[in-house]
Amino acid sequence: MQLLLAVVSAAYAVGAALGWGSEELAEIMGDFGLSAAALLAAVSCYTYARTIDSRERPAWLLFAFSSLMGACGNAVWGWYEVILGVPMPKHSLADVAFLCFAPPAIVGLLVLAKRPVTRAGWVCLALDSWLIGGSLLTLSWSLALANTARTAAESGAPGSVPQAAFSLAYPLLDIALVSMVLVLHFRRSEINRSAVNTAIAALALTVLSDALFTSPLLSAAYQSGQLLDAGWFAGSLLLAYAPWGARRLPAAAGTPGPPRAERPVSRPITGSLPALTPYLAAAVCTLGILYNVVDGRKVDRVVVFTGCTVVLALVIRQGIMLLDNIALTQELAQKENHFRSLVQGSSDVIMIAAPTGTLHYVSPAAAGVYGRDAEELVGTELASLIHPHDLGRVVHEVRRFLASPPAEEPTTRIECRFKSGSGEWLNVESTVNRHQGGLILNSRDVTERVRLQAQLQHSAEHDPLTDLPNRALFTRRVRQALSGRRAGDHSSAVLFIDLDGFKAVNDTIGHQAGDELLVEAARRLQDSVRAGDTAARLGGDEFAALILGDGSRDRSAREYQVHEIADRLRATLSRPYRIGGSEVRVAASIGVAFADPGITPSDLMRNADLAMYRAKAAGKDRVELYTPQMQDEVVHTAEPAGRLRTALHDGEFALLHQPVVSLDTGEVTAAAAMARWRSARGILFTPAEFFRIADHREGPATARPDGPARPAGPGAAAPARAEELGRWVLEQAVGHAAERHRAGHGVPVAVRTSAQRLLDPGTPQGAGDGAISPGFVEALLSRHGLPPGALVIELTDSDPRVPFDELERRLAALRRLGVLVALDGFGSGYAAISALRRLPVDILKLDRGLVEGVVESARLRKITAGLLRIANDLGMQSVAEGVDLPEQVLALRSMGCTHGQGLAFSGPLDEYRLRRALVRGTFPVPGGAVQPALTGGSSGGSMAIRRGSHNETPVPPT
């Protein structure tokens, strides 16, 4: 665009200089050519104004109107010269149009200018405009305008005065436009600055052409199409180009370039031009007056008046600037005092270093922070104050910072050791900024913080009791031993050490004595390893040691050497300990694993752990080296547990039901649901059996042979798998019971669950696996369409640590739904009576242990009879579990037990056999006549539950 603009303007100038080849073409190009260029500028500015939404829009609309007036004036001129073929009259509409060119342009420039923020700024803007305009008016009046006005006044001919006014209007408006261009050139806004500069240049070129046209030398001999028209033509094209050529600049602004701070600074004379403008204007005014004096003319009153007003404006402006400078000086002094107070009163040390590294300024805080006077540090090389070990890192960071662009990284932070006045090295943290090629450092003493960080780091990586490295630091040391320059050394070894008999020490003489024993054992271990090795406490009475290799490739020799070290450690740790005046003995079992090629840190530590457990299993107080067979044994033991994890999802579990029978009539009154696992060989395992297999390495588990396993402690059978299985049993039991209910067998189903699953706080609505909450039970019954009274929840736990308050609320919520609650295993454990006293229970199930000996033991008969009387007095039904013999049926019935469950009637049945039993309705009852059979198993054959204090709804017998 710029090249095209230059080519078109140059072509017009060449054509004008050559006369266009003919007078007719010259008139067309001089009139309609200028009109077309001005019209193009008007359309361009108007179009651009419609595309923007800012305070610039009025300015470009005014520029468009100004250009339109120029286009109209040239079109009228062409109408006379080209269309009509007559000379241009002295006065026409063209004069009006040309006179309307300058005022809109002046107002547009005012809109684009940077607006003053104070009244004094507005006054200075007006004074600057008059200084320039008045100076140009004085000079122009002295050179030509006075003669024109005088001639018109002396002639007295009609029309001479309007003609003189028109003649004076052109230069006066041009003077005003030039004044605004010059003033606003130094006050232009930063917004779209390139477009504004281009527009100012276009208007300046137009004004210059106007000035040449009104000069006495050219005005008389001017004809359309001459070289002077090239100035107007180029000005119009430049104004048309101004907004669109500048719009491409923001895209280019994103290209990389030197940062603002590194760009070349403008020359001083350019920055001084705004300040010199008033004096230059006064000089021009003086030249106009001197011209009249030197030429011997009488000084015109207009020149005197204009010159006086210019001088007056200059004096007023200088007075305003003087007051402004005084205010700025006072503000600068105030800010300097403020800055000095901040620097001198700051607890941080502020230093200014030259590019050479020499300190030019040091704040007084250096005396309190570094113990050195500020005057003593001034002139010192900064490098001489930094610790030699930190100097290289600091120099590298400073060079990197100075090379980076300031816009991307204005500051950086450096921490190093700084030499104090006493010779001590202080930890100093400095914020670094650029300053005239050098640096400003804001430094503070962080020695205490560094010490605290080191202490916290030590605490995070060391055992608080023995001060040995903990598991995290030991693992990192093992990782370092297997990587880096030691990666090829496979002779390193890890020792896992466990103190045998330590638990007995804690239990017999107390934990304080146990801690003293651990501290002494840690000291012995630390003293026994080499300087480069690592001794650590992993937790409890478990210790570890990392024995670094010597690069030896003889495996047998290395094994012998490490075994000897381990045996020496075992003997050292097994020596008697003197604790609190008593002699205490513990032994040490040690497992050793070597860093085989390709082994990971976790595998190496796991191998040492397996070897240590082998040492404990082999009799304790011994050393065992790891062999791959140990891992194979672990995999073989874990196979059943892994098989169990997938058995539930593969459909290998079966749901069986054992009938609950009335001891008086033999009627089937309920069905107790229980799970069985069908192994690959077709064997059915009870929950107790398959949880014992799965948790072989986790600890013992106690379980009922026909119900879920009950962990014996924190290390017992996997609770997650037991909870998942319990949820599966409940869902399957409800689903099957609903199908039987729709088939006409309305016999309730009993499902065992633990208090833990009822009290799961993380899943109040039963959202988690294994959780059995009232919300989940209600949704399950609603989904399958089973009446709530057809479900019995058997509570299996009797742990005294169970929170009875929450458990009571959960059970009450279930009973409000209509679900029945049974207390399973009554007569065993420590919490049976408390549970009976506090929990809302409908049914009591006697523990199998009471039923098994009720015939042989008179003591058990009395206990059982007493428990049954309690249930009867409370209005509850009673169910005896594990009734396998006819004698037990007779004995229990005589004691008042109402229902029984066991092999005396039926074992666990699948769904087909259960439905056959329900169709039959009764089982033979020893020692008594059989009552009418239960036809179809309808709920109408169930016995009514006697109401008592715990019974809010009728309960079918179970």
Side-chain angles (χ1 to χ4, degrees):
M1 287 294 296
Q2 294 176 353
L3 181 61
L4 179 63
L5 178 67
V7 169
V8 173
S9 300
Y12 189 95
V14 171
L18 298 178
W20 296 105
S22 67
E23 292 184 5
E24 185 177 355
L25 180 60
E27 290 179 351
I28 293 174
M29 296 302 297
D31 295 334
F32 291 113
L34 293 181
S35 179
L39 184 61
L40 177 64
V43 172
S44 175
C45 293
Y46 177 76
T47 306
Y48 176 70
R50 294 192 61 182
T51 61
I52 61 175
D53 186 15
S54 65
R55 73 179 187 91
E56 297 180 60
R57 174 182 288 184
W60 292 103
L61 290 176
L62 290 169
F63 290 155
F65 180 76
S66 179
S67 299
L68 181 62
M69 291 295 100
C72 292
N74 285 293
V76 172
W77 200 298
W79 172 264
Y80 282 103
E81 288 189 341
V82 177
I83 304 300
L84 300 181
V86 297
M88 186 69 188
K90 290 294 184 178
H91 305 292
S92 65
L93 293 177
D95 296 321
V96 177
F98 287 143
L99 289 176
C100 291
F101 172 83
I106 294 173
V107 178
L109 289 174
L110 285 173
V111 173
L112 290 177
K114 182 188 295 184
R115 300 176 182 177
V117 296
T118 61
R119 293 181 180 178
W122 285 105
V123 173
C124 288
L125 176 62
L127 292 175
D128 289 344
S129 301
W130 174 245
L131 284 172
I132 297 174
S135 302
L136 294 177
L137 176 61
T138 302
L139 184 60
S140 301
W141 190 273
S142 300
L143 294 176
L145 300 182
N147 186 36
T148 301
R150 190 180 306 111
T151 301
E154 292 175 355
S155 64
S160 61
V161 175
Q163 182 178 357
F166 272 113
S167 301
L168 293 176
Y170 283 114
L172 291 178
L173 289 176
D174 287 340
I175 288 173
L177 187 57
V178 169
S179 302
M180 295 308 304
V181 167
L182 292 176
V183 171
L184 298 180
H185 175 69
F186 305 109
R187 293 177 177 269
R188 59 192 179 278
S189 175
E190 296 293 333
I191 302 175
N192 208 358
R193 188 168 184 173
S194 179
V196 176
N197 287 340
T198 308
I200 289 176
L203 294 175
L205 185 58
T206 304
V207 169
L208 178 62
S209 300
D210 287 345
L212 293 176
F213 172 75
T214 56
S215 65
L217 297 176
L218 296 179
S219 61
Y222 171 77
Q223 291 182 355
S224 297
Q226 291 183 349
L227 185 61
L228 182 61
D229 292 347
W232 285 314
F233 184 83
S236 297
L237 291 185
L238 192 61
L239 185 60
Y241 164 79
W244 306 105
R247 291 190 73 181
R248 290 191 294 269
L249 293 178
T255 56
R260 177 179 294 271
E262 298 181 2
R263 290 174 183 169
V265 181
S266 60
R267 291 175 297 174
I269 187 62
T270 304
S272 302
L273 282 178
L276 295 177
T277 301
Y279 304 102
L280 293 176
V284 171
C285 183
T286 304
L287 287 176
I289 298 174
L290 289 177
Y291 175 79
N292 284 336
V293 174
V294 172
D295 198 27
R297 301 178 184 178
K298 182 180 178 181
V299 179
D300 195 276
R301 285 177 294 180
V302 174
V303 173
V304 174
F305 176 78
T306 306
C308 291
T309 55
V310 169
V311 172
L312 180 61
L314 179 61
V315 172
I316 295 175
R317 190 185 189 284
Q318 290 302 107
I320 294 175
M321 295 300 297
L322 179 61
L323 294 177
D324 194 21
N325 288 338
I326 293 175
L328 288 177
T329 303
Q330 293 176 349
E331 182 180 359
L332 180 62
Q334 183 180 3
K335 289 184 177 180
E336 185 177 354
N337 293 333
H338 188 198
F339 170 75
R340 183 180 293 106
S341 300
L342 288 176
V343 172
Q344 294 182 353
S346 174
S347 59
D348 295 346
V349 180
I350 300 176
M351 300 180 293
I352 300 178
T356 59
T358 305
L359 294 176
H360 284 179
Y361 173 80
V362 180
S363 66
V369 176
Y370 300 146
R372 307 178 68 173
D373 293 335
E375 294 78 6
E376 178 186 350
L377 293 175
V378 173
T380 307
E381 292 289 336
L382 185 61
S384 64
L385 304 174
I386 300 175
H387 196 283
H389 293 169
D390 300 337
L391 183 59
R393 174 173 54 83
V394 172
V395 171
H396 177 270
E397 175 62 20
V398 169
R399 289 177 177 174
R400 184 203 63 77
F401 170 67
L402 293 177
S404 63
E408 297 180 4
E409 191 175 7
T411 63
T412 188
R413 193 177 298 273
I414 296 177
E415 189 169 332
C416 63
R417 284 168 290 182
F418 201 88
K419 192 173 185 180
S420 66
S422 61
E424 179 185 2
W425 292 103
L426 304 175
N427 292 94
V428 175
E429 181 185 68
S430 302
T431 302
V432 184
N433 295 270
R434 299 173 179 84
H435 175 68
Q436 298 180 356
L439 300 172
I440 297 179
L441 297 94
N442 190 349
S443 307
R444 62 190 61 86
D445 183 8
V446 294
T447 304
E448 290 301 322
R449 190 192 71 185
V450 171
R451 289 175 182 172
L452 179 60
Q453 288 178 343
Q455 183 179 356
L456 293 175
Q457 182 72 17
H458 181 86
S459 300
E461 295 180 341
H462 289 76
D463 176 59
L465 179 63
T466 62
D467 203 39
L468 289 180
N470 58 15
R471 183 182 293 272
L473 180 56
F474 183 77
T475 302
R476 187 163 71 249
R477 296 274 178 87
V478 172
R479 185 178 297 110
Q480 293 171 354
L482 298 181
S483 60
R485 59 187 182 88
R486 290 187 171 273
D489 186 3
H490 307 304
S491 58
S492 297
V494 170
L495 281 62
F496 265 44
I497 307 163
D498 185 83
L499 300 181
D500 303 320
F502 175 74
K503 185 176 183 302
V505 175
N506 272 341
D507 294 341
T508 54
I509 61 177
H511 290 277
Q512 180 65 33
D515 291 344
E516 295 180 12
L517 189 148
L518 291 175
V519 171
E520 177 61 22
R523 187 190 61 79
R524 294 184 185 183
L525 179 61
Q526 184 67 49
D527 294 342
S528 300
V529 298
R530 300 172 304 179
D533 298 335
T534 301
R537 183 192 178 204
L538 305 183
D541 60 344
E542 290 188 358
F543 294 85
L546 171 64
I547 308 298
L548 297 178
D550 55 4
S552 174
R553 297 185 178 273
D554 188 349
R555 179 62 180 265
S556 59
R558 181 58 178 164
E559 287 184 359
Y560 176 79
Q561 180 184 5
V562 173
H563 192 283
E564 185 179 12
I565 294 174
D567 198 59
R568 186 172 67 250
L569 285 175
R570 181 197 59 78
T572 301
L573 295 174
S574 299
R575 293 201 310 265
Y577 295 83
R578 196 73 182 176
I579 305 296
S582 303
E583 188 176 89
V584 179
R585 291 182 177 270
V586 295
S589 297
I590 302 178
V592 182
F594 285 91
D596 295 329
I599 195 171
T600 63
S602 59
D603 290 342
L604 178 58
M605 296 175 65
R606 180 205 60 196
N607 294 344
D609 193 18
L610 291 175
M612 185 265 290
Y613 274 105
R614 172 57 64 87
K616 293 177 72 67
K620 303 180 180 180
D621 195 15
R622 56 188 295 125
V623 177
E624 286 285 344
L625 299 181
Y626 170 79
T627 59
Q629 290 78 8
M630 297 179 184
Q631 180 63 23
D632 295 339
E633 293 177 3
V634 173
V635 173
H636 178 72
T637 305
E639 283 181 357
R643 185 74 185 93
L644 179 61
R645 293 186 184 96
T646 59
L648 185 61
H649 301 284
D650 292 345
E652 297 181 10
F653 279 92
L655 185 66
L656 303 181
H657 294 81
Q658 190 172 26
V660 178
V661 179
S662 172
L663 297 185
D664 292 330
T665 65
E667 295 175 2
V668 179
T669 58
M674 55 193 65
R676 294 292 185 268
W677 178 30
R678 190 182 303 276
S679 69
R681 294 178 293 176
I683 302 175
L684 287 176
F685 290 102
T686 65
E689 293 166 341
F690 58 69
F691 274 116
R692 255 197 302 273
I693 293 173
D695 301 296
H696 178 268
R697 289 178 56 83
E698 299 182 38
T702 62
R704 307 181 65 86
D706 54 357
R710 281 188 271 174
R721 295 193 294 277
E723 290 177 356
E724 186 177 2
L725 177 61
R727 185 185 182 104
W728 179 86
V729 170
L730 179 60
E731 292 179 344
Q732 293 294 317
V734 171
H736 290 319
E739 293 177 2
R740 292 193 298 271
H741 191 272
R742 286 190 290 270
H745 306 295
V747 175
V749 63
V751 181
R752 283 192 175 94
T753 186
S754 64
Q756 185 62 35
R757 288 199 290 277
L758 287 174
L759 295 175
D760 186 0
T763 55
Q765 299 301 326
D769 290 343
I772 300 177
S773 68
F776 170 74
V777 173
E778 183 179 11
L780 184 62
L781 293 173
S782 176
R783 186 169 72 247
H784 290 283
L786 183 67
L791 175 63
V792 181
I793 296 296
E794 296 182 356
L795 193 63
T796 59
D797 286 345
S798 59
D799 191 343
R801 294 171 296 180
V802 171
F804 279 105
D805 293 337
E806 180 61 24
L807 182 59
E808 182 179 2
R809 284 193 292 269
R810 292 295 178 97
L811 293 178
L814 287 174
R815 294 189 72 217
R816 283 194 296 271
L817 295 176
V819 177
L820 307 179
V821 178
L823 186 60
D824 188 29
F826 189 73
S828 65
Y830 299 98
I833 300 300
S834 297
L836 184 63
R837 179 174 59 87
R838 299 190 57 181
L839 301 181
V841 177
D842 301 302
I843 304 162
L844 290 183
K845 295 192 72 172
L846 295 179
D847 186 76
R848 178 182 296 269
L850 296 177
V851 176
E852 288 176 348
V854 73
V855 177
E856 295 82 2
S857 173
R859 186 183 184 87
L860 282 180
R861 283 198 302 272
K862 293 180 179 181
I863 294 175
T864 304
L867 295 177
L868 290 172
R869 281 195 301 272
I870 293 175
N872 184 65
D873 293 341
L874 293 175
M876 300 180 184
Q877 290 297 315
S878 55
V879 179
E881 189 175 7
V883 182
D884 299 335
L885 301 174
E887 295 82 359
Q888 295 172 343
V889 175
L890 296 174
L892 291 168
R893 186 170 58 183
S894 65
M895 297 176 190
C897 184
T898 58
H899 298 81
Q901 172 186 342
L903 297 179
F905 305 106
S906 173
L909 305 174
D910 57 20
E911 185 66 21
Y912 173 74
R913 291 183 175 83
L914 175 62
R915 293 204 180 193
R916 288 183 58 185
L918 293 177
V919 171
R920 188 172 67 248
T922 62
F923 287 94
V925 179
V930 178
Q931 300 294 326
L934 182 66
T935 59
S938 64
S939 58
S942 300
M943 291 181 56
I945 295 298
R946 293 186 297 270
R947 297 180 178 271
S949 60
H950 287 277
N951 296 97
E952 299 174 357
T953 58
V955 182
T958 57

